[in-house]
């Protein structure tokens, strides 16, 4: 595979680079690059700028705002956006529930939800994980009982990311507890967060931030027309959604930017023999990570867009696995470079201000090997779905 772009693709890359670096305000991109808890207003502002330019929901069908791009163009779009520190379109909207509604939803649901979802006029959150159903998602116990033209929902979701900002939640609920397999009898419901009986409780993380929540449903009445697709077929839609999610969790552009930052940070720190960047062990560690990122990028080019006929490409599990590992490796490198300065949990107003975010960011991204299907689950998919091994 040649890594040199054709003239057409190079022009496309420059077009994306120009847009992201000139049309998205610098101060917004600086805040995003600085790390810490994301600001909801920044995420909304960025997505609306992208949507206005037709760059927010590029993976959707073209009739709903998608772009008929090649796999390489989609990769370039995403990589340039990450490299410019532009907040990406909210994943819950752009790469999760949006494609599910566009593919499996009714015509009424498409008209009602897709434009608002693309423009982030509706903020979605994900109602999948439960206290005893995370990695083993099919064990979920939240129930939805059909009563006339409504479902009555009872149960609890947890680790609901950014749920405090959400207007709606897309939830997996059990509609047939007597199904012969636990993956059967699950449905995909769209629920308003301000519906009577829905409550939310924040979970404070180890880095002190509030990014995830618990969501409780107590006799919540949901109109039956908010069921996506067929009743008891929700597991199929969830697998489609998770396949798309895994493609998006190999942030090659972000990892490259973090690596460049790591080198710049190391150059700031003086040692007896120059700067920390001159240390041969550190240089070797950076070089090894750069090689691994290059391999990940090539794999992403092969896998992106591999979802066909509503079924995820099992190779997307490779991206999820390696993408999350490399994220953590690079952030651990930055934490090591920060050294004792990384122990500060309040902002440092000097040239080492980045160091005060290093440890918190590293700890936050430990979650990357759990969400989107744990890395242990990805290894099972790779062994059975790609290598053909039998357990």
């Amino acid at each position: 595979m040649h890594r040199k772009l054709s003239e057409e693709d190079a022009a496309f890359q420059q077009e994306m680079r120009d847009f992201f670096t000139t049309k998205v305000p610098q101060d917004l991109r600086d805040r995003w690059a600085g790390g810490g808890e994301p600001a909801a207003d920044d995420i909304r502002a960025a997505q609306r700028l992208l949507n206005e330019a037709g760059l927010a929901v590029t993976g959707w069908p073209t009739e709903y705002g998608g772009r008929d791009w090649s796999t390489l163009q989609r990769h370039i779009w995403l990589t340039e956006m990450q490299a410019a520190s532009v907040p990406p379109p909210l994943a819950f909207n752009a790469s999760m529930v949006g494609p599910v509604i566009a593919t499996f939803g009714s015509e009424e649901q498409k008209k009602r939800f897709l434009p608002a979802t693309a423009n982030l006029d509706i903020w979605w959150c994900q109602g999948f994980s439960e206290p005893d159903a995370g990695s083993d998602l099919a064990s979920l116990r939240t129930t939805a009982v059909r009563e006339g033209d409504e479902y009555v929902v009872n149960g609890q979701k947890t680790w609901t990311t950014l749920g405090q900002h959400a207007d709606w939640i897309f939830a997996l609920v059990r509609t047939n507890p007597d199904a012969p397999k636990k993956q059967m009898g699950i449905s995909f419901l769209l629920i308003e967060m301000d519906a009577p009986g829905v409550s939310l409780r924040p979970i404070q993380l180890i880095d002190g931030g509030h990014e995830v929540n618990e969501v409780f449903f107590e006799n919540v009445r949901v109109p039956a027309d908010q069921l996506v697709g067929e009743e008891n077929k929700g597991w199929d839609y969830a697998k489609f959604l998770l396949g798309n999610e895994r493609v998006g969790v190999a942030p090659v552009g972000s990892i490259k930017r973090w690596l460049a930052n790591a080198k710049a940070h190391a150059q700031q720190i003086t040692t007896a023999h120059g700067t920390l960047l001159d240390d041969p062990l550190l240089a070797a560690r950076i070089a090894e990570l750069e090689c691994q990122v290059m391999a990940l990028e090539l794999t992403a080019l092969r896998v992106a867009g591999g979802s066909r006929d509503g079924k995820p490409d099992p190779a997307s599990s490779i991206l999820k696995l390696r993408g999350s590992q490399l994220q953590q490796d690079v952030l651990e490198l930055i934490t090591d470079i920060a050294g004792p300065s990384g122990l500060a949990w309040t902002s440092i107003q000097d040239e080492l201000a980045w160091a005060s975010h290093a440890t918190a960011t590293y700890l936050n991204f430990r979650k990357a090997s759990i969400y989107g299907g744990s890395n242990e689950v990805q290894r099972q998919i790779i062994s059975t779905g790609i290598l053909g091994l039998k357990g």
Side-chain angles (χ1 to χ4, degrees), residues 74-294:
R74 290 184 185 179
H75 174 76
I76 291 171
W77 162 78
L78 182 59
T79 301
E80 291 299 322
M81 179 166 51
Q82 293 168 344
S85 300
V86 173
L90 188 68
F92 308 113
N93 288 40
S95 58
M96 296 186 188
V97 74
V100 169
I101 293 174
T103 305
F104 304 105
S106 66
E107 288 305 313
E108 291 73 18
Q109 289 172 343
K110 293 173 184 175
K111 292 176 182 175
R112 180 181 181 185
F113 293 115
L114 291 181
T117 297
N119 203 48
L120 202 42
D121 296 328
I122 293 176
W123 185 306
W124 291 92
C125 63
Q126 184 182 37
F128 278 18
S129 294
E130 299 185 4
D132 295 319
S135 299
D136 184 16
L137 182 58
S139 295
L140 63 90
R141 293 185 294 184
T142 295
T143 60
V145 179
R146 182 76 180 255
E147 290 186 2
D149 293 332
E150 296 177 319
Y151 288 95
V152 180
V153 180
N154 283 282
Q156 177 189 353
K157 299 294 179 180
T158 192
W159 310 121
T160 307
T161 304
L162 302 181
Q164 67 269 37
H165 306 302
D167 306 297
W168 286 73
I169 183 171
F170 53 92
L172 291 179
V173 293
R174 189 164 299 285
T175 42
N176 181 8
D178 299 321
K181 293 184 178 179
K182 59 184 180 182
Q183 289 83 0
M184 303 169 70
I186 292 174
S187 296
F188 195 108
L189 275 185
L190 310 177
I191 306 172
E192 287 184 273
M193 289 295 283
D194 62 359
V198 178
S199 60
L200 181 142
R201 186 164 64 192
I203 300 173
Q204 188 168 15
L205 299 179
I206 192 172
D207 65 0
H210 169 204
E211 187 175 296
V212 292
N213 305 270
E214 295 175 289
V215 180
F216 300 88
F217 304 94
E218 184 176 356
N219 294 320
V220 179
R221 306 193 76 85
V222 179
D225 63 4
Q226 290 171 202
L227 170 76
V228 175
E230 298 180 44
E231 188 175 280
N232 299 325
K233 297 290 186 183
W235 189 251
D236 293 337
Y237 314 142
K239 287 193 296 183
F240 172 84
L241 181 152
L242 290 171
N244 289 330
E245 182 185 9
R246 285 164 197 158
V247 171
V249 292
V252 174
S254 296
I255 296 173
K256 284 182 171 179
R257 175 165 50 81
W258 284 328
L259 260 178
N261 291 343
K263 289 192 281 190
H265 298 331
Q267 204 162 23
Q268 286 182 286
I269 299 173
T270 57
T271 68
H273 305 288
T275 72
L276 192 57
L277 190 59
D278 300 318
D279 183 277
L281 292 178
L282 183 72
R285 190 173 166 188
I286 291 173
E288 182 179 354
L289 286 170
E290 287 179 331
C291 291
Q292 293 180 12
V293 173
M294 186 183 298

